[in-house]
Every structure is written in structure tokens, then in C-alpha cells.
Amino acid sequence: QVQLVESGGGLVQAGGSLRLSCAASGRTFSSMGWFRQAPGKEREFVAAINWGDTYYADSVMGRFTISRDNAKNMVYLQMNSLKPEDTAVYYCAATYGSRWPPRRYEYDYWGQGTQVTVSS
């Protein structure tokens, strides 16, 4: 059974940093991504990674870095220069599909989410 488990969320002041982790079970995914959902808003794409490429939302470009460790079946999101508008529940997602970057609906597996709160 495939499971994605996020960790690393928390409360941080604006300008600070957090590193999110996502532990995946099962065989290695072709692409993994991070999404976020703020209260009252739709879930939005943050970043994605496949075997060698990365892709970011404009709102996080230059501040967030996605990486993966295939040996451990882990994906990470390093978040720097955090802003209050980054406050959201962050979700890890994964797919075995081949499209790059994957469309949101092509992610087959989702984690339960981890809360990130950035205070001003």
C-alpha cells in the first residue's frame, strides 16, 4: 500500500526557513510534488521534481527548493525567506506517470498534509 507522510511543518517568523520532508512507501515514483492549501483557497501547486528536473510556481521561485533522495524514497522542500502568505497546509503528492510536469489531476497519491504558519 502506497503511503506518503509529510513532516517538518511548524510556526516560523517571516524571513525564516523550514524544511519539509515526505516519506514515501512503495516503488520509486517518476515525479513527486508539493502543493499547498490556505484557508478558504483552492489547493495550489508549489514545486515538482522528476528524475533530473524541477519545476516551481512563480510565487516560490528563488525561495523554495525541492529535492529528492531516491535511495530513501524521500522528497524535501526547503523553504527560505518565508512570508505570511506562505501560510498553508502543505501536501506531498506522487505519480508514476510520464508527463512532465504532471498536471494536478495526474498525481495519484497524496499525503495528509503538514501545517506551515508564518507570522509577521
Side-chain angles (χ1 to χ4, degrees), residues 36 46-47 56 59-66 77-83 86 90:
R36 65 187 182 186
V46 175
Y56 296 94
S59 59
V60 306
M61 183 81 70
R63 299 188 298 123
F64 290 10
T65 302
I66 189 171
L77 186 68
Q78 178 65 44
M79 305 185 295
N80 298 330
S81 302
L82 282 161
K83 304 175 182 179
D86 294 318
Y90 283 71

PDB file of all heavy atoms in Angstrom, residues 36 46-47 56 59-66 77-83 86 90:
ATOM      1  N   ARG A  36      -0.024  23.253  -1.762  1.00  0.00           N
ATOM      2  CA  ARG A  36      -0.432  23.866  -0.506  1.00  0.00           C
ATOM      3  C   ARG A  36      -1.855  24.401  -0.623  1.00  0.00           C
ATOM      4  O   ARG A  36      -2.333  24.706  -1.714  1.00  0.00           O
ATOM      5  CB  ARG A  36       0.523  24.994  -0.103  1.00  0.00           C
ATOM      6  CG  ARG A  36       0.533  26.186  -1.034  1.00  0.00           C
ATOM      7  CD  ARG A  36       1.639  27.154  -0.636  1.00  0.00           C
ATOM      8  NE  ARG A  36       1.655  28.349  -1.482  1.00  0.00           N
ATOM      9  CZ  ARG A  36       2.588  29.292  -1.427  1.00  0.00           C
ATOM     10  NH1 ARG A  36       3.601  29.178  -0.542  1.00  0.00           N
ATOM     11  NH2 ARG A  36       2.534  30.331  -2.227  1.00  0.00           N
ATOM     12  N   VAL A  46       3.043  24.000  -5.828  1.00  0.00           N
ATOM     13  CA  VAL A  46       4.218  24.693  -5.292  1.00  0.00           C
ATOM     14  C   VAL A  46       5.480  24.303  -6.072  1.00  0.00           C
ATOM     15  O   VAL A  46       6.181  25.160  -6.586  1.00  0.00           O
ATOM     16  CB  VAL A  46       4.423  24.365  -3.794  1.00  0.00           C
ATOM     17  CG1 VAL A  46       5.727  24.987  -3.286  1.00  0.00           C
ATOM     18  CG2 VAL A  46       3.236  24.857  -2.979  1.00  0.00           C
ATOM     19  N   ALA A  47       5.764  23.002  -6.141  1.00  0.00           N
ATOM     20  CA  ALA A  47       7.005  22.554  -6.789  1.00  0.00           C
ATOM     21  C   ALA A  47       6.884  21.084  -7.157  1.00  0.00           C
ATOM     22  O   ALA A  47       6.097  20.350  -6.560  1.00  0.00           O
ATOM     23  CB  ALA A  47       8.202  22.757  -5.867  1.00  0.00           C
ATOM     24  N   TYR A  56       8.791  25.011 -10.534  1.00  0.00           N
ATOM     25  CA  TYR A  56       8.291  25.776  -9.404  1.00  0.00           C
ATOM     26  C   TYR A  56       7.165  26.718  -9.817  1.00  0.00           C
ATOM     27  O   TYR A  56       7.137  27.222 -10.943  1.00  0.00           O
ATOM     28  CB  TYR A  56       9.416  26.617  -8.796  1.00  0.00           C
ATOM     29  CG  TYR A  56      10.548  25.807  -8.213  1.00  0.00           C
ATOM     30  CD1 TYR A  56      11.672  25.505  -8.966  1.00  0.00           C
ATOM     31  CD2 TYR A  56      10.484  25.347  -6.897  1.00  0.00           C
ATOM     32  CE1 TYR A  56      12.717  24.756  -8.432  1.00  0.00           C
ATOM     33  CE2 TYR A  56      11.520  24.606  -6.355  1.00  0.00           C
ATOM     34  CZ  TYR A  56      12.624  24.313  -7.125  1.00  0.00           C
ATOM     35  OH  TYR A  56      13.648  23.573  -6.593  1.00  0.00           O
ATOM     36  N   SER A  59       5.372  31.988  -7.491  1.00  0.00           N
ATOM     37  CA  SER A  59       5.317  32.611  -6.162  1.00  0.00           C
ATOM     38  C   SER A  59       6.420  32.123  -5.227  1.00  0.00           C
ATOM     39  O   SER A  59       6.703  32.775  -4.218  1.00  0.00           O
ATOM     40  CB  SER A  59       3.951  32.346  -5.529  1.00  0.00           C
ATOM     41  OG  SER A  59       3.722  30.948  -5.415  1.00  0.00           O
ATOM     42  N   VAL A  60       7.036  30.990  -5.536  1.00  0.00           N
ATOM     43  CA  VAL A  60       8.073  30.454  -4.648  1.00  0.00           C
ATOM     44  C   VAL A  60       9.436  30.377  -5.333  1.00  0.00           C
ATOM     45  O   VAL A  60      10.426  30.013  -4.693  1.00  0.00           O
ATOM     46  CB  VAL A  60       7.688  29.064  -4.105  1.00  0.00           C
ATOM     47  CG1 VAL A  60       6.319  29.111  -3.447  1.00  0.00           C
ATOM     48  CG2 VAL A  60       7.731  27.999  -5.187  1.00  0.00           C
ATOM     49  N   MET A  61       9.499  30.698  -6.602  1.00  0.00           N
ATOM     50  CA  MET A  61      10.748  30.613  -7.348  1.00  0.00           C
ATOM     51  C   MET A  61      11.828  31.444  -6.660  1.00  0.00           C
ATOM     52  O   MET A  61      11.622  32.585  -6.300  1.00  0.00           O
ATOM     53  CB  MET A  61      10.519  31.143  -8.764  1.00  0.00           C
ATOM     54  CG  MET A  61      11.716  31.043  -9.670  1.00  0.00           C
ATOM     55  SD  MET A  61      11.911  29.413 -10.359  1.00  0.00           S
ATOM     56  CE  MET A  61      10.509  29.368 -11.476  1.00  0.00           C
ATOM     57  N   GLY A  62      12.985  30.845  -6.466  1.00  0.00           N
ATOM     58  CA  GLY A  62      14.109  31.539  -5.834  1.00  0.00           C
ATOM     59  C   GLY A  62      14.103  31.477  -4.324  1.00  0.00           C
ATOM     60  O   GLY A  62      15.104  31.815  -3.681  1.00  0.00           O
ATOM     61  N   ARG A  63      13.000  31.026  -3.732  1.00  0.00           N
ATOM     62  CA  ARG A  63      12.916  30.923  -2.270  1.00  0.00           C
ATOM     63  C   ARG A  63      12.823  29.466  -1.807  1.00  0.00           C
ATOM     64  O   ARG A  63      13.350  29.125  -0.748  1.00  0.00           O
ATOM     65  CB  ARG A  63      11.699  31.694  -1.749  1.00  0.00           C
ATOM     66  CG  ARG A  63      11.714  33.172  -2.061  1.00  0.00           C
ATOM     67  CD  ARG A  63      10.579  33.901  -1.346  1.00  0.00           C
ATOM     68  NE  ARG A  63       9.260  33.426  -1.758  1.00  0.00           N
ATOM     69  CZ  ARG A  63       8.343  32.940  -0.914  1.00  0.00           C
ATOM     70  NH1 ARG A  63       8.609  32.854   0.372  1.00  0.00           N
ATOM     71  NH2 ARG A  63       7.165  32.541  -1.364  1.00  0.00           N
ATOM     72  N   PHE A  64      12.145  28.648  -2.577  1.00  0.00           N
ATOM     73  CA  PHE A  64      11.938  27.242  -2.216  1.00  0.00           C
ATOM     74  C   PHE A  64      12.781  26.355  -3.129  1.00  0.00           C
ATOM     75  O   PHE A  64      12.987  26.668  -4.310  1.00  0.00           O
ATOM     76  CB  PHE A  64      10.481  26.845  -2.391  1.00  0.00           C
ATOM     77  CG  PHE A  64       9.526  27.464  -1.407  1.00  0.00           C
ATOM     78  CD1 PHE A  64       9.909  28.491  -0.550  1.00  0.00           C
ATOM     79  CD2 PHE A  64       8.215  27.008  -1.342  1.00  0.00           C
ATOM     80  CE1 PHE A  64       9.029  29.051   0.341  1.00  0.00           C
ATOM     81  CE2 PHE A  64       7.314  27.559  -0.445  1.00  0.00           C
ATOM     82  CZ  PHE A  64       7.719  28.591   0.397  1.00  0.00           C
ATOM     83  N   THR A  65      13.229  25.226  -2.572  1.00  0.00           N
ATOM     84  CA  THR A  65      13.984  24.254  -3.345  1.00  0.00           C
ATOM     85  C   THR A  65      13.452  22.862  -3.069  1.00  0.00           C
ATOM     86  O   THR A  65      13.373  22.445  -1.904  1.00  0.00           O
ATOM     87  CB  THR A  65      15.479  24.296  -2.994  1.00  0.00           C
ATOM     88  OG1 THR A  65      15.991  25.618  -3.220  1.00  0.00           O
ATOM     89  CG2 THR A  65      16.266  23.315  -3.847  1.00  0.00           C
ATOM     90  N   ILE A  66      13.085  22.162  -4.133  1.00  0.00           N
ATOM     91  CA  ILE A  66      12.629  20.788  -3.996  1.00  0.00           C
ATOM     92  C   ILE A  66      13.784  19.850  -4.327  1.00  0.00           C
ATOM     93  O   ILE A  66      14.589  20.121  -5.231  1.00  0.00           O
ATOM     94  CB  ILE A  66      11.405  20.510  -4.908  1.00  0.00           C
ATOM     95  CG1 ILE A  66      10.809  19.138  -4.593  1.00  0.00           C
ATOM     96  CG2 ILE A  66      11.767  20.661  -6.374  1.00  0.00           C
ATOM     97  CD1 ILE A  66       9.469  18.888  -5.299  1.00  0.00           C
ATOM     98  N   LEU A  77      11.282  19.765   0.738  1.00  0.00           N
ATOM     99  CA  LEU A  77      11.011  21.127   0.286  1.00  0.00           C
ATOM    100  C   LEU A  77      11.694  22.067   1.273  1.00  0.00           C
ATOM    101  O   LEU A  77      11.242  22.209   2.410  1.00  0.00           O
ATOM    102  CB  LEU A  77       9.514  21.416   0.211  1.00  0.00           C
ATOM    103  CG  LEU A  77       9.160  22.772  -0.386  1.00  0.00           C
ATOM    104  CD1 LEU A  77       9.512  22.791  -1.885  1.00  0.00           C
ATOM    105  CD2 LEU A  77       7.679  23.088  -0.192  1.00  0.00           C
ATOM    106  N   GLN A  78      12.787  22.664   0.830  1.00  0.00           N
ATOM    107  CA  GLN A  78      13.480  23.667   1.637  1.00  0.00           C
ATOM    108  C   GLN A  78      12.837  25.014   1.343  1.00  0.00           C
ATOM    109  O   GLN A  78      12.823  25.457   0.184  1.00  0.00           O
ATOM    110  CB  GLN A  78      14.968  23.701   1.277  1.00  0.00           C
ATOM    111  CG  GLN A  78      15.762  24.759   2.032  1.00  0.00           C
ATOM    112  CD  GLN A  78      15.830  24.495   3.518  1.00  0.00           C
ATOM    113  OE1 GLN A  78      16.053  23.369   3.956  1.00  0.00           O
ATOM    114  NE2 GLN A  78      15.641  25.541   4.320  1.00  0.00           N
ATOM    115  N   MET A  79      12.331  25.644   2.380  1.00  0.00           N
ATOM    116  CA  MET A  79      11.612  26.905   2.224  1.00  0.00           C
ATOM    117  C   MET A  79      12.380  27.996   2.960  1.00  0.00           C
ATOM    118  O   MET A  79      12.538  27.938   4.182  1.00  0.00           O
ATOM    119  CB  MET A  79      10.192  26.774   2.782  1.00  0.00           C
ATOM    120  CG  MET A  79       9.407  25.625   2.164  1.00  0.00           C
ATOM    121  SD  MET A  79       7.689  25.581   2.714  1.00  0.00           S
ATOM    122  CE  MET A  79       7.907  25.237   4.455  1.00  0.00           C
ATOM    123  N   ASN A  80      12.863  28.961   2.205  1.00  0.00           N
ATOM    124  CA  ASN A  80      13.610  30.086   2.772  1.00  0.00           C
ATOM    125  C   ASN A  80      12.850  31.386   2.540  1.00  0.00           C
ATOM    126  O   ASN A  80      11.951  31.448   1.703  1.00  0.00           O
ATOM    127  CB  ASN A  80      14.993  30.180   2.127  1.00  0.00           C
ATOM    128  CG  ASN A  80      15.846  28.957   2.387  1.00  0.00           C
ATOM    129  OD1 ASN A  80      15.730  28.294   3.416  1.00  0.00           O
ATOM    130  ND2 ASN A  80      16.712  28.626   1.442  1.00  0.00           N
ATOM    131  N   SER A  81      13.232  32.414   3.269  1.00  0.00           N
ATOM    132  CA  SER A  81      12.610  33.734   3.119  1.00  0.00           C
ATOM    133  C   SER A  81      11.093  33.627   3.166  1.00  0.00           C
ATOM    134  O   SER A  81      10.379  34.186   2.320  1.00  0.00           O
ATOM    135  CB  SER A  81      13.058  34.385   1.800  1.00  0.00           C
ATOM    136  OG  SER A  81      14.467  34.507   1.751  1.00  0.00           O
ATOM    137  N   LEU A  82      10.603  32.922   4.153  1.00  0.00           N
ATOM    138  CA  LEU A  82       9.166  32.673   4.230  1.00  0.00           C
ATOM    139  C   LEU A  82       8.390  33.954   4.481  1.00  0.00           C
ATOM    140  O   LEU A  82       8.867  34.875   5.178  1.00  0.00           O
ATOM    141  CB  LEU A  82       8.874  31.654   5.329  1.00  0.00           C
ATOM    142  CG  LEU A  82       9.180  30.204   4.919  1.00  0.00           C
ATOM    143  CD1 LEU A  82       9.318  29.313   6.135  1.00  0.00           C
ATOM    144  CD2 LEU A  82       8.098  29.681   3.993  1.00  0.00           C
ATOM    145  N   LYS A  83       7.193  33.986   3.905  1.00  0.00           N
ATOM    146  CA  LYS A  83       6.308  35.143   4.012  1.00  0.00           C
ATOM    147  C   LYS A  83       4.996  34.701   4.654  1.00  0.00           C
ATOM    148  O   LYS A  83       4.623  33.529   4.560  1.00  0.00           O
ATOM    149  CB  LYS A  83       6.019  35.699   2.618  1.00  0.00           C
ATOM    150  CG  LYS A  83       7.253  36.065   1.817  1.00  0.00           C
ATOM    151  CD  LYS A  83       6.868  36.494   0.407  1.00  0.00           C
ATOM    152  CE  LYS A  83       8.086  36.827  -0.429  1.00  0.00           C
ATOM    153  NZ  LYS A  83       7.709  37.229  -1.812  1.00  0.00           N
ATOM    154  N   ASP A  86       2.752  32.492   2.722  1.00  0.00           N
ATOM    155  CA  ASP A  86       3.110  31.080   2.537  1.00  0.00           C
ATOM    156  C   ASP A  86       2.379  30.180   3.537  1.00  0.00           C
ATOM    157  O   ASP A  86       2.474  28.950   3.449  1.00  0.00           O
ATOM    158  CB  ASP A  86       4.620  30.873   2.705  1.00  0.00           C
ATOM    159  CG  ASP A  86       5.442  31.551   1.627  1.00  0.00           C
ATOM    160  OD1 ASP A  86       5.038  31.482   0.447  1.00  0.00           O
ATOM    161  OD2 ASP A  86       6.484  32.148   1.957  1.00  0.00           O
ATOM    162  N   TYR A  90       0.611  22.084   3.716  1.00  0.00           N
ATOM    163  CA  TYR A  90       1.435  21.623   2.595  1.00  0.00           C
ATOM    164  C   TYR A  90       1.280  20.122   2.422  1.00  0.00           C
ATOM    165  O   TYR A  90       1.393  19.357   3.385  1.00  0.00           O
ATOM    166  CB  TYR A  90       2.900  21.985   2.837  1.00  0.00           C
ATOM    167  CG  TYR A  90       3.188  23.436   2.578  1.00  0.00           C
ATOM    168  CD1 TYR A  90       2.713  24.429   3.436  1.00  0.00           C
ATOM    169  CD2 TYR A  90       3.912  23.846   1.459  1.00  0.00           C
ATOM    170  CE1 TYR A  90       2.942  25.767   3.192  1.00  0.00           C
ATOM    171  CE2 TYR A  90       4.167  25.182   1.203  1.00  0.00           C
ATOM    172  CZ  TYR A  90       3.672  26.140   2.075  1.00  0.00           C
ATOM    173  OH  TYR A  90       3.910  27.474   1.817  1.00  0.00           O
TER     174      TYR A  90
END
